Amino acid sequence: FGHPEKKVTLYFLVTGLLMLLIGVAIGPLQALNYANIDVYQYLPFLKSYYQGLSLHGVLNALVFTTYFISGLLLYLPCRALGVRPNLVVAWAAYWTMTIGVLMAAWAVLGNNATLLYTFYPPLQGSPLFYIGAALLVVGSLIIAVQVIVIWTGWKRQHPGETTPLVAYMSVATWMMWVIASLGLVVEVVVFLIPWSLGWTKGVDPLLARTLFWYTGHAIVYFWVLPAYISWYALLPRQAGGVIASDSMARLSFVLFLLLSTPVGLHHQYSDTGLSIGWKTVQMLLTFLVVVPSMLTAFSVGASLELAAQARGGGGYFGWTRRLPWKDPVFTAQVLAMISFIPGGAGGIVNASLALDTAVHNTAWIPGHFHITVGTATTLTFFAISFWLLPHLTRKPLASVKMALWSAWLWFWGMIIFAVGMHWEGLIGIPRRTYFAGATGLSEMISRAQVPLALTGISGMVLAVAAVLYFTVIFRTLLGRTRVSAQAEVPIPFSQSLAEVEALAGNGGSPKIAGAVRVLERLWVFFALALALVLVMYLPTFISLLLNPHPVPGLRLW
Ligand code: HEM
């Protein structure tokens, strides 16, 4: 493998993709359910629609993402810093996660943890599920601490130097995750595990939900920031250009570090018992997250325009024709970014106290997160796998054409899915509903025939996309040809415009150099983020702890 950390990275990525394969296999069945076609009656291994949905949500949103991100954000920063990770620690993280996932999977497959991916109490699943979920998060935190420690050591050995961009962004993401994962860890370890083991008599559902959403919203940034790293710092080189603004990229990551966590209450607008004042404050903070998202959109757009200009492109939109559309690594990422535009717009609706009332718990919500985590993140991870697996294994990508088709079909499948689901949501069709077993929906269903059919069709398109994608991946991994070390796919670390200008002797702006020096103090921003979280959440947690309402639990196992 050349670099020994390649092997552990490959294990993280491939295990994550195997989890996605199982999780995604159930998706089309759910889509058919929305088209009122019930295939569950022919599936003896699933006890209910909800068991399948639990498996789908947990494997896709929690397990696939955590493995993929842990591998990616261990490998990239270490290579960017030129430091080898401690392999014993990296493997310990991998096995901690894997033992956890096996425990949780055992519980879900045995129908002992059909809790959906939010596992809200008072529904109570097997302790194996909660312990497994805790181990998954602990595994990711081991990687987080390792990367932060490696970076701190690098800083000590390179005083006064600016951290390479990819490493900087990775460290900021891991710092954010250290703060953000606390809610889930406390919920599971302090409340749900003892409760499911029968050591405590009850658990307060509102407190548990608040802890869940403390992590549950920030986790969406944990899913999307690794995609941003690829868009900001790798895609420019893949497109044949440079990073338009290195300092803008750093600034947006600092803003994400500060703003990702203290906004979770916007998932609980309809939970009574929480202060409307704090909900409003957190709503306003949520809107602030638009700022780094816009910074990203404009600066990544500028990088692509620079790349197209370098290939002779010009005009307002004409330059887009000069981009390398035949390369699946490039195209999948651009399609992922495009899907994020309606995804972000829908997110603003969800985060608005008044508008959320119209869409809460309707099909709108899965419509929203399939074009964010299900496309912006997942399709970017597809793109990354198209170059990173060949890089790690020295095996060429099995079929460029098939990879390209899988990206386009995934994109269009998810767009059709999102149109259908958002539309259904506006009619009032609920999410998490097994249509064959539901009563009282017929009037609403008759008004939603077109969008429900769209959801069903999108499921079929996505099934084809998934088959093509996994065929490319397995054919690549199982291929026999290996290229020489010299022909290895390089890691596409991009240069910034400022670096190129400095090399050309044009110097750089002292103001920007000063800004980068300030942004370099990630520990200061980490402390500020922690303080902001305390201010935003402490009053709510104190009030919940002082007025507990424990309930015994509805045992499902
Ligand atoms: C829920 C379809 C891929 C994450 C759903 C639902 C459908 C669906 C129809 C709504 C079910 C309901 O509320 O009753 C699909 C299809 C996919 C796909 C057809 C592709 C073949 C993904 C991916 C992710 C994902 C890639 C994340 C990375 C989720 C989550 C839920 C969900 C978290 C919510 C589970 C819950 O409510 O507990 N999916 N999905 N899906 N999907 Fe997907």
Side-chain angles (χ1 to χ4, degrees):
F1 282 97
H3 288 264
E5 66 269 32
K6 281 185 171 179
K7 188 171 173 182
V8 71
T9 307
L10 192 62
Y11 268 68
F12 271 115
L13 300 186
V14 175
T15 312
L17 291 175
L18 286 174
M19 299 297 157
L20 180 73
L21 172 63
I22 305 170
V24 153
I26 304 165
L29 313 183
Q30 291 160 188
L32 285 178
N33 163 62
Y34 272 74
N36 228 339
I37 300 170
D38 177 23
V39 278
Y40 288 81
Q41 50 186 320
Y42 310 112
L43 301 175
F45 54 90
L46 283 181
K47 296 276 182 304
S48 70
Y49 177 76
Y50 300 98
Q51 188 192 1
L53 188 54
S54 302
L55 208 55
H56 176 83
V58 170
L59 286 182
N60 287 342
L62 304 179
V63 180
F64 152 63
T65 49
T66 308
Y67 269 104
F68 201 96
I69 294 166
S70 298
L72 185 70
L73 294 200
L74 172 69
Y75 188 68
L76 288 183
C78 288
R79 290 299 303 266
L81 294 172
V83 180
R84 188 149 290 173
N86 182 325
L87 289 179
V88 176
V89 176
W91 281 111
Y94 174 82
W95 285 113
T96 306
M97 278 163 77
T98 305
I99 291 169
V101 167
L102 289 176
M103 288 170 78
W106 184 260
V108 181
L109 290 171
N111 200 26
N112 291 322
T114 297
L115 303 165
L116 306 180
Y117 85 114
T118 37
F119 48 90
Y120 290 146
L123 295 183
Q124 190 193 73
S126 149
L128 280 182
F129 176 80
Y130 303 115
I131 297 170
L135 289 178
L136 176 71
V137 178
V138 169
S140 70
L141 288 174
I142 295 176
I143 299 289
V145 171
Q146 184 175 25
V147 172
I148 295 170
V149 167
I150 286 175
W151 171 70
T152 318
W154 182 91
K155 290 289 292 173
R156 230 177 285 120
Q157 285 169 359
H158 299 80
E161 277 185 42
T162 307
T163 309
L165 184 59
V166 167
Y168 181 90
M169 292 166 142
S170 306
V171 172
T173 306
W174 282 127
M175 284 182 164
M176 186 279 287
W177 182 236
V178 168
I179 299 176
S181 59
L182 282 176
L184 200 66
V185 171
V186 172
E187 181 198 6
V188 173
V189 175
V190 178
F191 295 103
L192 301 186
I193 293 176
W195 172 63
S196 64
L197 288 168
W199 297 344
T200 52
K201 292 245 166 332
V203 74
D204 181 346
L206 187 57
L207 175 59
R209 285 164 77 94
T210 310
L211 286 165
F212 181 86
W213 285 116
Y214 168 100
T215 300
H217 187 71
I219 202 172
V220 310
Y221 300 109
F222 180 56
W223 296 333
V224 96
L225 290 184
Y228 276 22
I229 294 178
S230 183
W231 301 349
Y232 262 122
L234 308 178
L235 183 63
R237 177 154 160 203
Q238 288 160 338
V242 292
I243 303 168
S245 172
D246 174 286
S247 47
M248 195 88 93
R250 290 172 200 264
L251 174 63
S252 70
F253 269 65
V254 163
L255 291 174
F256 279 119
L257 172 57
L258 292 173
L259 298 173
S260 295
T261 313
V263 293
L265 283 187
H266 79 239
H267 284 257
Q268 294 181 274
Y269 289 150
S270 38
D271 284 7
T272 48
L274 296 173
S275 138
I276 188 74
W278 285 114
K279 285 179 186 171
T280 311
V281 171
Q282 293 208 8
M283 172 184 74
L284 296 173
L285 274 184
T286 312
F287 290 146
L288 272 187
V289 183
V290 173
V291 175
S293 305
M294 287 294 166
L295 289 181
T296 305
F298 288 113
S299 49
V300 174
S303 296
L304 295 185
E305 191 172 355
L306 286 173
Q309 282 170 354
R311 293 157 178 255
Y316 281 122
F317 296 106
W319 56 269
T320 53
R321 285 201 298 271
R322 293 297 174 109
L323 292 168
W325 294 105
K326 289 198 174 131
D327 178 0
V329 176
F330 171 82
T331 301
Q333 289 184 82
V334 174
L335 296 177
M337 288 191 263
I338 294 172
S339 75
F340 208 43
I341 300 170
I348 294 175
V349 172
N350 304 343
S352 309
L353 232 166
L355 295 180
D356 176 64
T357 325
V359 297
H360 186 75
N361 269 346
T362 67
W364 170 288
I365 304 299
H368 163 72
F369 61 68
H370 282 78
I371 42 173
T372 47
V373 63
T375 314
T377 297
T378 304
L379 204 44
T380 303
F381 288 1
F382 282 8
I384 293 171
S385 67
F386 292 150
W387 71 263
L388 186 52
L389 294 183
H391 165 83
L392 294 172
T393 57
R394 286 218 226 117
K395 294 180 179 181
L397 189 67
S399 167
V400 169
K401 240 192 195 153
M402 206 185 270
L404 206 52
W405 269 99
S406 72
W408 277 105
L409 284 177
W410 190 272
F411 171 74
W412 280 114
M414 281 299 184
I415 294 293
I416 302 170
F417 181 86
V419 170
M421 298 292 274
H422 281 86
W423 187 350
E424 285 153 34
L426 294 178
I427 294 173
I429 296 282
R431 67 183 285 204
R432 296 176 158 176
T433 303
Y434 177 45
F435 280 67
T439 49
L441 285 178
S442 51
E443 194 271 332
M444 211 186 276
I445 289 178
S446 69
R447 282 192 290 130
Q449 287 298 317
V450 178
L452 289 170
L454 286 180
T455 302
I457 293 167
S458 71
M460 299 305 97
V461 177
L462 285 161
V464 178
V467 168
L468 294 182
Y469 172 71
F470 283 107
T471 306
V472 174
I473 293 305
F474 288 119
R475 276 181 52 199
T476 304
L477 290 172
L478 301 174
R480 298 242 169 104
T481 328
R482 267 187 216 271
V483 299
S484 66
Q486 290 74 27
E488 180 182 289
V489 177
I491 305 176
F493 292 130
S494 312
Q495 277 191 311
S496 71
L497 189 58
E499 271 173 306
V500 174
E501 284 181 344
L503 284 175
N506 296 350
S509 151
K511 265 194 193 156
I512 291 194
V516 170
R517 260 200 307 281
V518 173
L519 294 172
E520 188 66 18
R521 296 162 194 261
L522 275 174
W523 279 117
V524 175
F525 295 109
F526 176 80
L528 282 175
L530 212 53
L532 193 59
V533 162
L534 285 179
V535 172
M536 287 297 142
Y537 262 109
L538 217 49
T540 303
F541 281 127
I542 290 175
S543 125
L544 286 169
L545 287 168
L546 291 179
N547 303 291
H549 292 91
V551 295
L554 186 66
R555 194 173 157 147
L556 296 181
W557 53 292

